[in-house]
Amino acid sequence: MAIPEKIDVEKLIQAVPLLAGVDVDGLSGILEGAKLYKISEGGHVYRAGDPCVGFYSLVSGTVHVGQSTDQGGTILLRKIRPGQSFGLSDFLQRARHRMEATLVEEGLVFRFDGNRFRERLQQGSPHALSVIRAISRQMESNLQALDERLSHIFENPESSIGEFERHIPNVTKELRLDDS
Amino acid sequence: MIPDALSYLRELARFSELEERELSLLSSMSTVHSFPTGEIIVERSKKSMGLLLLVQGQVVAIQRVGVAGVARHYELSSPSFIGPTRLGASTDGYFDFAAQSDCVVLVISRDDFQSVERANAVISRALVCSVYTEIGHAVGVAEDYLMRLYHEPGQTKKRLQELSLAV
């Protein structure tokens, strides 16, 4: 369950690197509609298919972003630590969330209001532009991390096989006569 | 007549919200390059000349493994940035990107784009945001590909087994 918390603006600037280029005066416009939530362990920030209403920064706790499997497990895309942001590419593409974001450790999640933020961008807010520029830099880092992970899986193919065997359903394993 | 950058940009649905002057600005920072099927557009070991925007065709991310192995990863269709954009800190590239079909790529000068970013002029705000949106799109493609590897573990295992024989 997500419990709204009061926002301490000065602490927020320190906790959210996306706001690094923004002064306290400039924050009020960007923070319109924004919310700070306390979410308990196991709670979802969003689920796959949810409409994208904003983008998020983790203030405390740990978030796992990933997808559920048909077998009831979870594929981990990314671990989010305090100070990091998530839900970014979905926000920019105005898409529904493709992943789920779950607190694996109770924490505080800050959500920027997507519509209000876009309005600020369209109005030419330099602070909104500063934030979205920071978003673009984090996405560059995310893409690099993704490519690095893919590269690692395939550069030693034999040693990576086990990682995927774990995800093969047991019933399929029993039927596979050619598995050695 | 060979189309110029502006002609290609006008055709892209995801850039349709940009005004003509914004498209012209982006065009003025770009050069047009054509690549036949099979040609390497981005080499992992080389830093690209700018931001590479695929405006026609399809490319695939390729990883060379060992002596003779090749792993083909995610495919990108136009419009899409190809390879690291490097607007922030310099980032490593891990893959080559090859043309899967005849491709046209706009090379956007990184220096020019970063100047536009810093200027924060009214004329260029929507343009800058469009570029960021395309970076987000490329991230989404890579994320979806990675997730598919785990959603189809049998297929992935088979690919890895075949690759291990070729390495």
Side-chain angles (χ1 to χ4, degrees):
Chain A
M1 186 176 157
I3 303 171
E5 295 267 320
K6 192 165 177 282
I7 297 174
D8 180 321
V9 169
E10 287 190 12
K11 283 186 181 171
L12 191 70
I13 293 179
Q14 288 170 15
V16 179
L18 285 185
L19 298 174
V22 184
D23 55 41
V24 174
D25 292 333
L27 265 187
S28 58
I30 297 176
L31 295 189
E32 277 177 18
K35 295 253 189 319
L36 182 66
Y37 290 103
K38 185 174 183 177
I39 303 180
S40 49
E41 182 183 330
H44 290 281
V45 183
Y46 52 78
R47 295 173 195 263
D50 283 351
C52 186
V53 297
F55 56 98
Y56 303 82
S57 284
L58 186 64
V59 176
S60 65
T62 306
V63 165
H64 280 186
V65 176
Q67 286 181 340
S68 300
T69 66
D70 293 340
Q71 289 75 42
T74 305
I75 305 166
L76 177 64
L77 173 68
R78 190 177 290 126
K79 270 186 205 173
I80 308 295
R81 306 269 185 227
Q84 293 179 320
S85 297
F86 56 103
L88 303 177
S89 62
D90 291 340
F91 164 70
L92 282 180
Q93 296 177 81
R94 304 173 197 235
R96 288 185 174 265
H97 288 294
R98 297 165 296 114
M99 312 282 166
E100 61 189 32
T102 310
L103 275 288
V104 296
E105 188 187 328
E106 178 185 271
L108 289 172
V109 176
F110 182 75
R111 186 187 77 195
F112 291 82
D113 182 289
N115 287 336
R116 302 275 178 90
F117 185 82
R118 277 188 222 285
E119 281 169 15
R120 287 292 168 181
L121 267 181
Q122 278 164 2
Q123 288 163 4
S125 160
H127 305 292
L129 196 62
S130 169
V131 169
I132 204 165
R133 187 178 308 134
I135 287 174
S136 76
R137 301 319 194 244
Q138 184 170 332
M139 287 193 300
E140 284 187 323
S141 297
N142 288 353
L143 184 55
Q144 183 190 11
L146 281 162
D147 283 356
E148 184 180 13
R149 184 172 165 187
L150 287 168
S151 168
H152 184 72
I153 290 170
F154 284 82
E155 71 188 3
N156 292 303
E158 204 166 324
S159 60
S160 297
I161 288 172
E163 182 179 349
F164 291 90
E165 265 181 340
R166 290 192 289 116
H167 290 274
I168 296 174
N170 285 334
V171 64
T172 308
K173 272 192 182 164
E174 288 164 11
L175 291 174
R176 283 174 176 263
L177 300 178
D178 57 353
D179 263 0
S180 52
Chain B
M1 186 176 141
I2 299 171
D4 61 6
L6 186 56
S7 304
Y8 285 109
L9 289 169
R10 283 190 186 124
E11 296 296 312
L12 300 176
R14 280 210 296 275
F15 284 74
S16 61
E17 290 181 12
L18 294 180
E19 295 179 13
E20 183 73 6
R21 61 179 183 168
E22 290 158 336
L23 292 176
S24 293
L25 176 59
L26 184 57
S27 172
S28 71
M29 296 187 264
S30 309
T31 51
V32 181
H33 298 259
S34 298
F35 297 88
T37 304
E39 190 160 326
I40 300 295
I41 300 172
V42 173
E43 274 189 61
R44 174 200 168 163
S45 54
K46 291 185 185 168
K47 187 173 172 181
S48 65
M49 321 156 250
L51 287 70
L52 274 61
L53 181 67
L54 177 69
V55 294
Q56 205 170 82
Q58 283 192 313
V59 304
V60 60
I62 287 177
Q63 179 181 356
R64 315 231 174 246
V65 182
V67 176
V70 175
R72 296 167 72 87
H73 294 305
Y74 50 87
E75 295 171 358
L76 297 164
S77 302
S78 90
S80 189
F81 281 117
I82 310 169
T85 40
R86 295 192 174 99
L87 290 171
S90 185
T91 53
D92 294 332
Y94 288 88
F95 305 133
D96 295 338
F97 287 83
Q100 268 200 311
S101 63
D102 291 348
C103 289
V104 176
V105 176
L106 299 190
V107 179
I108 303 167
S109 161
R110 191 174 285 112
D111 286 344
D112 286 350
F113 182 78
Q114 287 176 314
S115 294
V116 166
E117 273 190 311
R118 283 190 295 269
N120 189 22
V122 172
I123 186 179
S124 57
R125 231 165 259 142
L127 160 63
V128 166
C129 290
S130 288
V131 167
Y132 296 157
T133 299
E134 287 311 315
I135 295 174
H137 169 76
V139 171
V141 169
E143 287 176 345
D144 288 345
Y145 171 76
L146 177 65
M147 291 292 102
R148 259 197 323 276
L149 293 181
Y150 286 90
H151 279 302
E152 298 167 359
Q155 286 271 54
T156 306
K157 177 185 168 184
K158 189 177 168 199
R159 282 181 67 192
L160 290 167
Q161 285 172 330
E162 288 168 356
L163 189 60
S164 67
L165 295 174
V167 167

